[in-house]
């Protein structure tokens, strides 16, 4: 079951970008949700579900510059400079370590989102809700596409999985997979929320995705969460081999 897609979001809530290579260590994927936006009025990390228009925005590094590309093609390109000492911000009821950044990106994003936001760096893992790695399979995505008639859409982006594997079924909980140089251990099915109903290319909220997902213990699920057992690089096309099963 080779790795057919690798992805992450550098800026939390923005478009899930496809990568050719990803480095893993005990904390997860390098660069995953490294940055976030602070909702100034609520003094908390901005929640994706509240601002679906953020989803099609792209964010990536070009050398030392952060590039933010808006859906219309406008780009903001500039380095980041810390504007305050490290602090904490609320992330769904828990404290996340963040460092606010001075940059022109926040002004453009505030105008686009219609609310004041600040850009911040986040401590690794602090704005990841539970496990750092997620996996979906081509079989599960194909079955979902048939149910909701979205065969032409990149469904993997909706579920923002770290890895998409060319396999019919999800690996079982407790199994260990070697992906390229790395080893991950599958921990649980992933509960999904209404973010999956937001189209990744437009930010438009559709319907029918969340309700079409299979239920596990009454919760809609898609894909499996995992933790990193052995650090290493994973590349698109690398084989995914099951090393052990429970």
């Amino acid at each position: 079951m080779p790795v057919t897609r690798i992805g992450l979001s550098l800026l939390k809530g923005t478009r899930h970008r496809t990568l050719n290579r990803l480095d893993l260590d005990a904390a997860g994927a390098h660069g995953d949700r490294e940055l976030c936006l602070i909702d100034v009025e609520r003094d908390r990390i901005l929640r994706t579900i509240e601002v679906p228009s953020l989803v099609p925005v792209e964010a990536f590094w070009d050398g030392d510059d952060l590039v933010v590309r808006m859906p219309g093609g406008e780009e903001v390109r500039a380095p980041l400079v810390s504007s305050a000492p490290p602090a904490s911000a609320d992330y769904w009821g828990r404290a996340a370590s963040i460092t606010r950044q001075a940059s022109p990106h926040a002004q453009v994003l505030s105008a686009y989102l219609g609310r004041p936001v600040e850009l911040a760096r986040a401590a690794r893992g602090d704005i990841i809700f539970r496990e750092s790695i997620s996996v979906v399979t081509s079989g599960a995505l194909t079955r979902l596409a048939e149910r909701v008639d979205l065969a032409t859409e990149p469904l993997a982006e909706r579920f923002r999985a770290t890895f998409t594997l060319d396999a019919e079924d999800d690996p079982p909980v407790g199994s260990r997979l070697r992906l390229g140089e790395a080893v991950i251990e599958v921990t649980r099915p992933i509960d999904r929320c209404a973010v999956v109903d937001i189209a990744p290319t437009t930010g438009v909220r559709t319907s029918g995705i969340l309700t079409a997902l299979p239920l596990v213990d009454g919760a809609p699920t898609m894909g499996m969460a995992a933790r990193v057992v052995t650090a290493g690089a994973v590349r698109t096309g690398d084989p995914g081999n099951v090393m052990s099963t429970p």
Side-chain angles (χ1 to χ4, degrees):
M1 50 180 175
V3 177
T4 58
R5 182 181 183 271
I6 301 171
L8 58 70
S9 297
L10 169 65
L11 174 58
K12 181 174 175 60
T14 58
R15 187 161 183 183
H16 201 254
R17 288 175 55 84
T18 300
L19 307 176
N20 293 320
R21 169 186 168 142
L22 189 58
D23 293 313
L24 305 183
D25 63 17
H30 285 269
D32 188 22
R33 287 160 281 188
E34 182 178 342
L35 305 172
C36 63
L37 294 177
I38 305 298
D39 184 334
V40 174
E41 294 177 346
R42 294 173 175 81
D43 193 27
R44 69 184 187 197
I45 294 172
L46 191 68
R47 298 176 178 179
T48 309
I49 192 64
E50 298 171 336
V51 283
S53 58
L54 182 62
V55 171
V57 174
E58 296 184 71
F60 55 94
W61 292 114
D62 183 7
D64 293 331
D65 287 344
L66 173 66
V67 181
V68 171
R69 181 180 295 154
M70 313 306 288
E74 177 189 2
E75 285 190 0
V76 185
R77 180 186 300 262
L80 300 183
V81 179
S82 298
S83 61
S88 64
D90 177 80
Y91 173 61
W92 290 101
R94 74 187 193 203
S97 297
I98 56 101
T99 304
R100 287 174 168 81
Q101 304 292 305
S103 76
H105 308 87
Q107 182 177 355
V108 172
L109 287 165
S110 294
Y112 171 72
L113 297 172
R115 65 174 71 195
V117 295
E118 294 179 325
L119 187 65
R121 288 185 182 270
R124 286 194 69 194
D126 273 18
I127 56 173
I128 296 173
F129 193 68
R130 287 181 64 178
E131 294 89 340
S132 57
I133 303 298
S134 58
V135 174
V136 297
T137 64
S138 57
L141 293 173
T142 297
R143 290 189 291 273
L144 176 62
E146 291 170 350
R147 288 196 296 272
V148 298
D149 192 26
L150 284 173
T152 60
E153 184 185 301
L155 274 178
E157 283 193 37
R158 285 200 185 237
F159 296 99
R160 309 173 82 82
T162 318
F163 301 110
T164 304
L165 304 180
D166 187 9
E168 187 63 24
D169 299 309
D170 290 335
V173 172
S175 60
R176 291 192 173 190
L177 310 178
R178 178 171 291 281
L179 305 178
E181 300 169 0
V183 176
I184 64 172
E185 182 177 81
V186 177
T187 56
R188 64 178 177 90
I190 301 175
D191 299 350
R192 297 296 181 171
C193 68
V195 169
V196 302
D197 280 335
I198 301 172
T201 55
T202 64
V204 174
R205 196 187 303 273
T206 57
S207 61
I209 306 292
L210 185 65
T211 56
L213 298 182
L215 301 179
V216 175
D217 296 329
T221 65
M222 172 61 77
M224 305 298 285
R227 67 180 186 89
V228 177
V229 177
T230 302
V234 184
R235 298 168 179 84
T236 304
D238 278 348
N241 298 316
V242 178
M243 300 177 61
S244 63
T245 56

Coordinates of all heavy atoms in Angstrom, one line a residue, residues 17 19-20 22 36 67 76 93 97 106 114-115 133 153 167 172 178 183 191 216-217 220 233:
R17 N -1.9 21.5 2.0 CA -1.0 21.5 0.8 C -0.4 20.1 0.6 O 0.0 19.4 1.6 CB 0.1 22.5 0.9 CG -0.4 23.9 0.7 CD 0.7 24.9 0.9 NE 1.8 24.7 0.1 CZ 1.9 25.2 -1.2 NH1 0.9 25.8 -1.7 NH2 3.0 25.0 -1.9
L19 N 2.6 17.6 -0.4 CA 4.1 17.7 -0.4 C 4.6 16.4 -1.0 O 3.9 15.4 -1.1 CB 4.5 17.7 1.1 CG 4.0 18.8 2.0 CD1 4.5 18.7 3.4 CD2 4.3 20.2 1.4
N20 N 5.9 16.5 -1.4 CA 6.6 15.3 -2.0 C 7.3 14.5 -0.9 O 7.6 13.3 -1.0 CB 7.6 15.7 -3.1 CG 6.9 16.2 -4.3 OD1 5.8 15.7 -4.7 ND2 7.4 17.3 -4.9
L22 N 8.1 14.4 3.7 CA 7.8 14.9 5.0 C 8.7 14.2 6.0 O 8.8 13.0 5.9 CB 6.3 14.6 5.3 CG 5.7 15.3 6.6 CD1 5.9 16.8 6.6 CD2 4.3 14.9 6.8
C36 N -0.4 29.8 13.5 CA -1.8 29.9 13.8 C -2.2 31.4 13.8 O -1.4 32.3 13.8 CB -2.2 29.3 15.1 SG -1.5 30.1 16.6
V67 N 4.9 32.9 2.7 CA 4.1 33.3 1.6 C 2.6 32.9 1.9 O 2.4 31.7 2.2 CB 4.5 32.6 0.3 CG1 3.6 33.1 -0.9 CG2 5.9 33.0 -0.1
V76 N 1.1 37.6 -0.2 CA 1.8 38.4 0.7 C 3.1 37.6 1.1 O 3.0 36.4 1.5 CB 1.0 38.7 2.0 CG1 1.8 39.6 2.9 CG2 -0.4 39.2 1.7
G93 N -10.1 25.3 25.0 CA -10.2 25.0 26.4 C -8.9 24.6 27.0 O -8.8 24.4 28.2
S97 N 1.1 27.2 23.8 CA 2.3 28.2 23.9 C 2.4 28.8 22.5 O 2.6 28.1 21.5 CB 3.6 27.5 24.3 OG 3.5 26.9 25.6
A106 N -0.9 39.5 8.6 CA -2.1 39.6 9.5 C -3.1 40.6 9.1 O -4.3 40.5 9.1 CB -1.7 39.8 11.0
G114 N -12.6 39.5 7.6 CA -13.6 40.4 8.2 C -13.6 40.4 9.7 O -14.6 40.7 10.4
R115 N -12.4 40.1 10.3 CA -12.2 40.2 11.8 C -10.8 40.4 12.0 O -9.9 39.9 11.3 CB -12.8 38.9 12.4 CG -12.0 37.7 12.1 CD -12.4 36.5 12.9 NE -13.8 36.0 12.5 CZ -14.5 35.2 13.2 NH1 -14.1 34.7 14.4 NH2 -15.7 34.8 12.8
I133 N -0.4 12.4 13.8 CA -0.4 11.8 12.4 C -1.8 11.2 12.1 O -2.4 10.6 13.0 CB 0.7 10.7 12.3 CG1 2.1 11.2 12.7 CG2 0.7 10.0 10.9 CD1 2.6 12.3 11.8
E153 N -13.6 15.5 -6.9 CA -13.0 16.4 -6.0 C -11.9 15.7 -5.2 O -12.0 14.5 -4.9 CB -14.1 16.9 -5.0 CG -13.5 17.9 -4.0 CD -14.5 18.3 -2.9 OE1 -15.6 18.8 -3.3 OE2 -14.2 18.1 -1.7
A167 N -4.8 1.6 -0.3 CA -5.2 0.4 0.3 C -6.7 0.4 0.4 O -7.4 1.5 0.4 CB -4.6 0.3 1.7
P172 N -5.6 -1.7 11.2 CA -6.3 -1.9 12.5 C -5.6 -1.1 13.6 O -4.3 -0.9 13.5 CB -6.3 -3.4 12.7 CG -5.1 -3.9 11.9 CD -5.0 -3.0 10.7
R178 N 5.5 0.7 8.5 CA 6.7 1.4 8.0 C 6.3 2.2 6.8 O 5.9 1.6 5.8 CB 7.8 0.4 7.7 CG 9.1 1.1 7.2 CD 10.3 0.2 7.1 NE 10.8 -0.2 8.4 CZ 11.5 0.6 9.2 NH1 11.9 1.8 8.8 NH2 11.9 0.1 10.4
V183 N 8.4 4.8 11.1 CA 7.4 3.8 11.6 C 6.4 4.5 12.4 O 6.7 5.3 13.3 CB 8.1 2.7 12.5 CG1 7.0 1.7 13.0 CG2 9.1 1.9 11.6
D191 N -12.6 10.7 14.9 CA -13.9 11.4 14.9 C -13.8 12.7 14.0 O -12.8 13.4 14.1 CB -14.3 11.8 16.3 CG -14.4 10.6 17.2 OD1 -14.4 9.5 16.8 OD2 -14.6 10.9 18.5
V216 N -18.7 5.1 14.3 CA -18.0 4.3 15.2 C -18.3 4.7 16.6 O -18.1 5.9 17.0 CB -16.4 4.3 15.0 CG1 -15.8 3.5 16.1 CG2 -16.1 3.8 13.6
D217 N -19.0 3.9 17.4 CA -19.5 4.3 18.7 C -20.3 5.6 18.6 O -20.3 6.4 19.5 CB -18.3 4.5 19.7 CG -17.6 3.2 20.0 OD1 -18.2 2.1 19.9 OD2 -16.4 3.3 20.2
P220 N -19.3 10.1 13.7 CA -18.8 9.9 12.3 C -17.3 9.9 12.2 O -16.6 10.7 12.9 CB -19.4 11.2 11.6 CG -19.6 12.2 12.8 CD -19.9 11.4 14.0
A233 N 12.2 10.1 7.2 CA 11.5 10.8 6.1 C 10.6 9.9 5.4 O 10.8 8.7 5.2 CB 12.6 11.3 5.1

